[in-house]
């Protein structure tokens, strides 16, 4: 498994951890839990595009 | 209070989808990278311009992820079945066996990419035709990009009445049609779908060898389309559930009869879609270690398990009892746009993913017993499956979560209302494009019908158009949308071994889908 796939797996795992926080926070009105879930989920969603941008930059550097 | 329909709001609602298409088609990003970016854009637009609270964005994202499970439950076993077949070295004998039965390479391509894909759509759906047929086409020497595009185009027509009619039943349910209107709508829908089927067959020939391919394949396309489209049209007045399945199986039987015609008994050089240097399909080869029947074993198992469950109502009803649901509360945005409370149910044992898993396990056991898979095979199969499935998993979760956020925030509503307002009397032409939008966002004809069926009905009535024609166009458009839906594209790129090249597939399939939709739109304009 290459580095990108490992990073994507880690991002997927982080998103998975965020889901119970998002669900319970949303259903039971627990703002702090929701916020923590959103931060985790957003961070997970940022990983693949950031990896792509970094890979593109490193491949175009002289 | 309603979300104001302004150009700014409409443009912002479009932003996530435009960004997705731009990054995939023009910047050549894979769906695993472009999808998460599109989710971030959808969430940002929902929180700012559409007044959705972060907690509700989170809940909609969970709902999307929950819905994504039903897609992922197909992705993982579809890749597993492919890896089992590959580990057993079954693709080469499979290619040789098919070449003996259907010597003409165009008929082989039509058989897998159009007819078998349509048959699978008739019984399973959920992207299974793409996941199964793309590697089979690669197995007979088709270039991976074409091996993905061809079943995408070929299977699409059977998305409304296939999968035992779930998309059609969803449209009927959401629009509460009277029986007479339902019968008229079914007629319109199947007529538009026939157009899609015929164009699909012709496009497969065109992809094969441009106009020479169309000339060669025309008699076969005409015969198969007559059976596919004619049976769907005729049976649409008889059964909501079985017509797509019957049309699919009749077409599958016909292609083997057509392959015996003198016109198609020869084995000329393959068209431009074949890999250079690939063994020429149809070349006489003997002495294979594995017979065609053995090579096709996991797929026989898939058909046997699927038909055994779905065509035996007592078995299906018993298995359907094992289901679980996650309840979601009603959500309302700052604009008062409401999403009803819902319990999203998954029936695990009657899901296509279970049939695929069962087929993969049966296939592995049989190959192992026959000595085609050496020791350590199970570990290698799972390692390869995980490597392919992880990027697809990230992409599917991001895309379906994005669609759920857009629905919950009212972005999808603003998009369709804006398009209807801008087109006025020309709305009939636009109707199938809205169906396409729904399927593109959700990777499902059923979800597209549930999302936009009611809207299309009201808009058609307000514009004085035939509601039956417009609803027929909605579901036909939803079927076309499956050609470009990122979920289906991902299934194809993953199983054909070109993961990350979703943008290339989209650049190829998007113009084809838009062309087909425009033809259907013109037909709707003429009759509505």
């Amino acid at each position: 498994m290459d580095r990108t796939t490992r990073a994507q797996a880690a991002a997927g795992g982080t998103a998975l951890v965020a889901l119970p926080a998002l669900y319970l926070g949303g259903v039971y009105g627990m703002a702090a839990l929701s916020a923590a879930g959103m931060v985790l989920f957003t961070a997970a969603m940022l990983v693949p595009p950031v990896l792509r941008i970094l890979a593109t930059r490193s491949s175009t550097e002289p | 209070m309603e979300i104001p329909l302004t150009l700014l709001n409409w443009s912002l609602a479009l932003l996530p989808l435009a960004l997705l298409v731009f990054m995939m088609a023009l910047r050549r990003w894979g769906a695993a990278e472009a999808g998460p970016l599109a989710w971030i854009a959808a969430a940002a637009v929902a929180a700012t311009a559409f007044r959705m609270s972060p907690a509700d964005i989170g809940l909609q994202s969970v709902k999307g992820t929950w819905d994504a499970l039903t897609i992922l439950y197909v992705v993982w076993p579809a890749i597993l079945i492919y890896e089992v077949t590959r580990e057993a070295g079954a693709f080469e004998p499979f290619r040789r066996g098919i070449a003996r039965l259907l010597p003409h390479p165009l008929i082989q391509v039509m058989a897998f990419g159009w007819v078998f894909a349509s048959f699978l759509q008739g019984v399973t759906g959920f992207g299974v035709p793409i996941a199964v047929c793309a590697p089979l086409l690669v197995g007979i020497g088709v270039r991976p990009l074409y091996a993905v595009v061809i079943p995408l185009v070929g299977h699409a027509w059977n998305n409304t009445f296939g999968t035992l009619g779930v998309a059609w039943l969803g449209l009927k349910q959401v629009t509460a049609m009277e029986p007479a209107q339902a019968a008229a709508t079914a007629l319109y829908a199947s007529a538009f779908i026939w157009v899609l089927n015929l164009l699909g067959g012709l496009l497969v020939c065109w992809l094969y060898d441009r106009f020479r391919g169309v000339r060669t394949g025309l008699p076969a396309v005409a015969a198969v389309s007559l059976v596919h489209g004619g049976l769907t049209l005729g049976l649409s007045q008889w059964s909501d559930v079985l017509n797509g399945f019957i049309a699919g199986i009749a077409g599958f039987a016909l292609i083997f009869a057509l392959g015996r015609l003198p016109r198609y008994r020869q084995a000329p050089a393959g068209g431009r879609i074949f890999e250079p240097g690939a063994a020429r399909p149809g070349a006489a080869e003997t002495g294979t270690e594995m017979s065609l029947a053995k090579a096709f074993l996991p797929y026989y198992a898939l058909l046997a398990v699927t038909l055994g469950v779905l065509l035996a109502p007592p078995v299906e009803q018993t298995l359907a009892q094992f289901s679980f649901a996650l309840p979601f509360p009603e959500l309302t945005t700052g604009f008062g746009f409401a999403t009803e409370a819902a319990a999203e149910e998954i029936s695990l044992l009657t899901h296509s993913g279970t049939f695929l898993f069962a087929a993969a396990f049966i296939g592995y056991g049989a190959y192992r017993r026959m000595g085609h898979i050496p020791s350590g095979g199970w570990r290698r199969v799972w390692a390869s499956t995980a490597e392919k499935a992880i990027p697809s998993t990230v992409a599917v979760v991001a895309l379906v979560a994005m669609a759920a956020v857009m629905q919950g925030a009212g972005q999808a509503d603003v998009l369709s209302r804006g398009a209807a307002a801008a087109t006025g009397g020309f709305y009939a032409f636009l109707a199938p494009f809205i169906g396409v939008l729904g399927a593109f966002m959700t990777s499902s004809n059923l979800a597209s019908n549930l999302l936009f069926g009611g809207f299309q009905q009201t808009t058609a009535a307000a514009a004085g158009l035939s509601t039956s024609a417009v609803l027929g166009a909605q579901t036909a458009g939803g079927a076309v949308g499956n050609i470009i839906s990122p979920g289906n594209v991902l299934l194809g790129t993953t199983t054909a071994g070109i993961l990350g090249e979703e943008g290339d597939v989209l650049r190829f399939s998007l113009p084809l889908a838009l062309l087909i939709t425009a033809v259907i739109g013109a037909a709707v304009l003429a009759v509505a």
Side-chain angles (χ1 to χ4, degrees):
Chain A
M1 205 180 281
D2 62 20
R3 255 182 59 192
T4 306
T5 313
R6 279 177 202 275
Q8 286 174 343
T14 310
L16 206 66
V17 171
L19 294 175
L22 287 171
Y23 183 75
L24 295 172
V27 171
Y28 298 106
M30 294 182 275
L33 203 55
S34 266
M38 273 305 274
V39 169
L40 277 178
F41 198 81
T42 308
M45 292 292 109
L46 274 170
V47 169
V50 166
L51 279 177
R52 173 72 188 223
I53 292 165
L54 291 177
T56 311
R57 279 193 183 166
S58 64
S59 68
T60 53
E61 273 172 12
Chain B
M1 186 165 57
E2 201 175 47
I3 304 170
L5 186 55
T6 62
L7 184 61
L8 178 67
N9 275 352
W10 193 84
S11 307
L12 286 170
L14 187 66
L15 181 69
L17 295 177
L19 185 66
L20 180 70
V21 173
F22 174 78
M23 296 311 287
M24 285 177 68
L26 298 180
R27 301 304 299 268
R28 298 194 167 189
W29 279 29
E33 292 119 3
L37 198 64
W39 176 85
I40 290 169
V45 170
T48 53
F50 286 78
R51 300 185 190 173
M52 193 179 200
S53 72
D56 288 355
I57 293 172
L59 265 180
Q60 282 297 102
S61 299
V62 177
K63 191 190 270 186
T65 308
W66 183 256
D67 290 340
L69 286 182
T70 58
I71 301 175
L72 294 173
Y73 193 49
V74 169
V75 172
W76 280 77
I79 299 168
L80 183 68
I81 209 171
Y82 165 75
E83 290 296 337
V84 165
T85 313
R86 198 180 62 83
E87 180 71 20
F91 278 113
E92 180 55 21
F94 175 76
R95 185 192 67 76
R96 290 178 186 171
I98 286 296
R100 275 196 297 274
L101 275 177
L102 300 170
H104 201 289
L106 174 57
I107 297 296
Q108 292 173 15
V109 171
M110 284 171 63
F112 287 129
W114 184 32
V115 178
F116 187 50
S118 302
F119 166 69
L120 284 177
Q121 184 61 37
V123 287
T124 59
F126 303 104
V128 171
I130 318 301
V132 169
C133 294
L136 291 181
L137 285 168
V138 171
I140 59 167
V142 174
R143 293 181 194 183
L145 179 67
Y146 288 97
V148 178
V149 173
I150 286 171
L152 280 170
V153 173
H155 91 294
W157 70 275
N158 213 5
N159 267 276
T160 289
F161 292 106
T163 324
L164 302 183
V166 287
W168 168 246
L169 294 173
L171 184 67
K172 275 177 76 174
Q173 184 193 19
V174 80
T175 53
M177 282 185 255
E178 295 294 325
Q181 197 199 0
T185 306
L187 266 187
Y188 278 117
S190 41
F192 299 144
I193 282 166
W194 197 342
V195 173
L196 168 58
N197 174 270
L198 183 61
L199 289 177
L202 291 174
L203 281 172
V204 169
C205 296
W206 183 80
L207 288 169
Y208 172 79
D209 204 9
R210 301 298 185 262
F211 288 107
R212 198 183 310 163
V214 173
R215 230 184 3 254
T216 311
L218 194 58
V221 171
V224 172
S225 186
L226 194 66
V227 166
H228 276 165
L231 276 177
T232 302
L233 186 82
L235 297 174
S236 70
Q237 303 301 301
W238 168 70
S239 167
D240 285 339
V241 176
L242 286 178
N243 51 354
F245 166 68
I246 293 172
I249 205 163
F252 192 47
L254 179 65
I255 197 76
F256 284 95
L258 289 170
R260 302 180 75 86
L261 292 177
R263 182 188 180 91
Y264 298 123
R265 285 304 297 171
Q266 47 193 304
R272 59 176 64 205
I273 61 173
F274 282 91
E275 288 277 15
R280 187 164 67 88
E285 292 169 72
T286 54
T288 57
E289 285 183 16
M290 192 189 288
S291 67
L292 174 64
K294 281 184 189 171
F296 207 64
L297 213 146
Y299 301 99
Y300 285 141
L302 175 64
L303 292 181
V305 173
T306 306
L307 295 179
V309 173
L310 294 187
L311 295 183
V315 177
E316 190 193 4
Q317 284 156 16
T318 308
L319 294 177
Q321 290 172 359
F322 299 95
S323 62
F324 48 95
L326 192 63
F328 289 90
E330 183 179 304
L331 305 179
T332 308
T333 68
F335 280 121
F337 184 84
T339 304
E340 284 179 15
E344 307 276 325
E345 189 174 283
I346 295 180
S347 183
L348 208 60
L349 294 183
T350 52
H351 193 283
S352 305
T354 302
F355 306 153
L356 282 163
F357 265 125
F361 293 143
I362 292 170
Y364 179 83
Y367 284 144
R368 186 91 176 87
R369 203 178 160 83
M370 290 185 280
H372 294 298
I373 294 184
S375 63
W378 194 234
R379 197 176 47 78
R380 282 193 300 276
V381 162
W382 270 107
S384 306
T385 301
E387 193 153 358
K388 288 188 173 76
I390 285 168
S392 305
T393 303
V394 171
V396 169
V397 166
L399 289 167
V400 186
M402 174 202 74
V405 170
M406 287 183 69
Q407 286 169 37
Q411 288 163 258
D413 177 67
V414 164
L415 273 179
S416 54
R417 276 198 295 130
T423 49
F426 206 56
Y427 180 75
F429 179 77
L430 190 77
F433 285 92
I434 290 179
V436 170
L437 173 70
F440 176 72
M441 285 172 57
T442 60
S443 294
S444 158
N445 194 168
L446 168 65
S448 175
N449 287 348
L450 296 178
L451 188 59
F452 290 129
F455 164 79
Q456 295 256 33
Q457 190 180 35
T458 347
T459 311
L465 298 167
S466 157
T467 49
S468 292
V470 168
L471 287 175
Q474 153 63 32
T475 192
V480 178
N482 279 273
I483 296 174
I484 52 169
S485 73
N488 280 346
V489 172
L490 261 169
L491 277 165
T493 54
T494 307
T495 53
I498 50 168
L499 192 62
E501 295 181 29
E502 294 80 28
D504 288 336
V505 174
L506 206 56
R507 278 175 3 134
F508 217 108
S509 56
L510 187 60
L512 299 180
L514 292 178
L515 171 75
I516 295 171
T517 316
V519 172
I520 294 175
V524 184
L525 199 59
V527 297

